[in-house]
Amino acid sequence: MRCPSHENLSAYVDRELTLSEMQKIETHLQDCLTCRIEVARLEKLIRKFNVLAETDLPIPNMYNPTISRKNYRWAAAAVVVLLVAGSAVFFGLRYNQSSVAEMEEELQYFYNNHKDYVRSQSTAPITLVSWE
Amino acid sequence: MALEERLKDHSLVQKLKAGDEDAYAQLCTEYSGKMYRLVCRLAGPEDADDLVQEALMQLYKSMGSFKGACSIGTWIYRITTNVCQDYLRKKSRRSWRHLFSLDWLSSETNKEVPSLDFEPSERAEIRDDLDKLRMAIAKLPPEQRAVLVLHDLEQLTYQEVADVLGIVVGTVKSRLFYARRKVRSMLEGGV
């Protein structure tokens, strides 16, 4: 039997030939040192690919389902904290603004009722500060 | 494909076609890591995140057209590979040397040879060869690289590779042979 093509030897190593083709090549290999060497070289290369497939490219955390789920939990916790903090700041500011408005009213009331006293205590014109 | 897997696939496909967002999320969770790895191997890591996003978008858009003739895995590989090929085509005016930086090959990868059945001397040789091997694969023409990556690294069969790339099995066999021959000659010649 003539030597099989290198293409067929490559497919033989992958076990991707029909059963009869595989058997023909196996029979041939028993008598042909050249083809046996070629098969051994191919197998060695494929073993290297197998190693590469096993060791290559650690997948980033964002594509790792387990770690991603943990990240979602942290993200959810962060959102809750931000909402609470944001609410506190928002309502705090509103409270401060209403307090200022009340103070302004009180000052205005005091000023209206005690104009003479205030003028006697200060020469500078009195202006109410706006917080807007 | 095992019967159990086919049934699981079938159930997932039905949910996807019904527009089930949870099924889509499950699909993304299950496959995005594999898609990322495939993108890095085919098109390099430079724009890998964008390419995975693009592939996931295309998956979402084309869910309705999936007939179930192949497994979901094959279908996902096909979309991801097409996205990579489009990306490489757009960049084809540039030399392949500039398609992506090769620096990541030695910096981000695990140097430890896994505990497969190797002689100590062979383990040492393989460890030394891994960087050269990665470099050699990156230097292959895109169509040969796709076949080699899908078969030798992603462990798909000839038929699955043919389905993913839309070519016949004979072409897979031929491209794989030429790709391996080139890689081997690059390894022997120091890449």
Side-chain angles (χ1 to χ4, degrees):
Chain A
M1 179 192 170
R2 282 178 56 194
C3 288
S5 67
H6 282 197
E7 207 172 298
N8 273 347
L9 283 181
S10 171
Y12 166 80
V13 171
D14 293 329
R15 306 267 164 222
E16 288 275 2
L17 295 173
T18 62
L19 191 61
S20 67
E21 285 172 322
M22 293 289 289
Q23 283 169 346
K24 274 184 195 168
I25 291 180
E26 269 163 25
T27 310
H28 173 78
L29 286 175
Q30 289 171 4
D31 300 324
C32 181
L33 179 63
T34 312
C35 286
R36 278 209 303 275
I37 290 171
E38 176 61 19
V39 166
R41 289 176 76 195
L42 275 167
E43 283 173 344
K44 190 176 176 186
L45 182 67
I46 288 165
R47 281 158 74 85
K48 287 178 185 173
F49 286 132
N50 290 340
V51 174
L52 194 61
E54 296 247 341
T55 58
D56 211 14
L57 288 171
I59 292 169
N61 291 349
M62 65 181 288
Y63 296 112
N64 184 328
T66 323
I67 296 171
S68 294
R69 267 185 223 117
K70 279 184 194 164
N71 285 345
Y72 287 140
R73 281 192 207 120
W74 279 110
V79 167
V80 169
V81 168
L82 280 174
L83 277 175
V84 171
S87 307
V89 169
F90 177 69
F91 289 112
L93 277 176
R94 280 193 63 176
Y95 175 76
N96 282 341
Q97 282 181 353
S98 63
S99 299
V100 169
E102 281 170 20
M103 276 171 60
E104 282 176 346
E105 266 181 37
E106 280 175 20
L107 275 171
Q108 192 71 52
Y109 180 77
F110 182 82
Y111 178 68
N112 290 338
N113 291 305
H114 303 85
K115 278 179 189 169
D116 294 335
Y117 172 74
V118 172
R119 280 176 184 156
S120 70
Q121 295 298 312
S122 169
T123 51
I126 291 176
T127 50
L128 294 175
V129 179
S130 170
W131 286 65
E132 292 301 321
Chain B
M1 188 169 43
L3 181 65
E4 197 182 330
E5 275 182 58
R6 287 183 74 91
L7 288 172
K8 192 179 151 199
D9 264 17
H10 181 73
S11 150
L12 191 56
V13 170
Q14 295 309 311
K15 286 181 186 169
L16 290 171
K17 285 191 168 182
D20 186 334
E21 298 285 336
D22 287 344
Y24 179 68
Q26 185 193 333
L27 192 79
C28 293
T29 307
E30 207 167 310
Y31 284 97
S32 60
K34 289 178 187 172
M35 290 166 78
Y36 176 84
R37 202 179 51 202
L38 181 63
V39 165
C40 284
R41 284 172 172 164
L42 292 179
E46 201 178 41
D47 295 317
D49 288 334
D50 290 343
L51 294 174
V52 171
Q53 292 303 319
E54 171 67 23
L56 287 171
M57 281 298 292
Q58 290 201 15
L59 269 176
Y60 188 76
K61 283 183 198 165
S62 60
M63 272 190 300
S65 63
F66 179 60
K67 303 276 190 285
C70 58
S71 71
I72 288 188
T74 303
W75 179 56
I76 290 173
Y77 271 123
R78 184 187 301 162
I79 288 175
T80 311
T81 307
N82 286 343
V83 167
C84 291
Q85 284 178 338
D86 286 346
Y87 168 82
L88 293 175
R89 217 170 283 132
K90 281 176 194 162
K91 293 209 164 189
S92 63
R93 270 176 256 155
R94 295 156 66 179
S95 157
W96 61 263
R97 286 171 204 279
H98 301 106
L99 283 178
F100 56 92
S101 158
L102 298 176
D103 297 342
W104 63 283
L105 291 174
S106 54
S107 60
E108 285 185 25
T109 47
N110 186 356
K111 300 273 186 185
E112 198 54 44
V113 176
S115 55
L116 298 177
D117 186 22
F118 292 115
E119 296 293 325
S121 61
E122 198 180 0
R123 283 171 67 89
E125 189 192 333
I126 287 174
R127 195 173 50 235
D128 293 343
D129 271 355
L130 285 184
D131 282 348
K132 288 183 196 168
L133 197 58
R134 293 187 188 104
M135 201 76 82
I137 293 169
K139 286 182 176 181
L140 287 172
E143 68 276 6
Q144 287 180 14
R145 184 163 69 229
V147 171
L148 188 132
V149 164
L150 289 169
H151 182 271
D152 285 342
L153 300 184
E154 300 293 331
Q155 317 282 334
L156 269 58
T157 64
Y158 281 17
Q159 185 59 59
E160 286 168 337
V161 176
D163 288 343
V164 167
L165 297 176
I167 54 181
V168 295
V169 170
T171 309
V172 173
K173 188 169 130 182
S174 161
R175 283 187 191 171
L176 189 59
F177 162 69
Y178 285 111
R180 284 173 175 171
R181 194 168 70 170
K182 270 187 194 165
V183 167
R184 205 162 69 184
S185 79
M186 281 192 263
L187 287 181
E188 285 164 1
V191 188

